[in-house]
Amino acid sequence: MFDKNIIQKIRRRDLLSLAGKGVIAVAGFGLVNNEASADSAAVSKAMKKNVGDISPTVGRISMELPQIAENGNTVPIAVEVQSPMTGEDYVKALHVYAEGNPQPDVATFRFTPQSGKARISTRMRMIKSQNIVAVAEMSDGSVYMGKKAVKVTIGGCGG
């Protein structure tokens, strides 16, 4: 049986203290850094999922990223693929991957000949120093790749 008097024996201050500790413990589970991150093998697997077994050729991709990112919370990234963007020769998709973040897939951008230029610029979070990989799928079925290293001094994903 439940003792009804037990509630009267616990002081309000003790009850609030226990409740607060429980909230902090539960909230802390999300703050634990389990060091899980992608690597070059995870990026290769994600690339295979997106472009199949086609081996990418290095070239046609220019990447603008800082050599050193002082804060990984917001790292600027710009990627451009050299293409005439005509009906016969254009960039279909541009995939961006991170070798050190928890998930290798960062973003996928789709283009058509009407896009005029295959260029993106955005910001991303980076947990630690790592390589950023850009892969361009062309309309003729060819695939191009570019890679650039970024050193992160303060991680943006809890690192």
Side-chain angles (χ1 to χ4, degrees), residues 22-35:
V23 168
I24 290 171
V26 171
F29 285 121
L31 300 176
V32 175
N33 186 2
N34 61 3
E35 294 298 323

Side-chain angles (χ1 to χ4, degrees), residues 90-110:
Y90 65 95
V91 179
K92 288 182 8 179
L94 177 62
H95 308 282
V96 180
Y97 305 99
E99 288 186 353
N101 277 0
Q103 297 294 319
D105 300 272
V106 173
T108 294
F109 303 90
R110 306 275 178 205

Side-chain angles (χ1 to χ4, degrees), residues 69-116:
E70 291 183 20
N71 187 343
N73 279 319
T74 176
V75 179
I77 173 175
V79 181
E80 184 171 352
V81 183
Q82 298 303 315
S83 172
M85 296 302 282
T86 63
E88 299 79 37
D89 185 7
Y90 65 95
V91 179
K92 288 182 8 179
L94 177 62
H95 308 282
V96 180
Y97 305 99
E99 288 186 353
N101 277 0
Q103 297 294 319
D105 300 272
V106 173
T108 294
F109 303 90
R110 306 275 178 205
F111 300 94
T112 68
Q114 290 78 26
S115 299

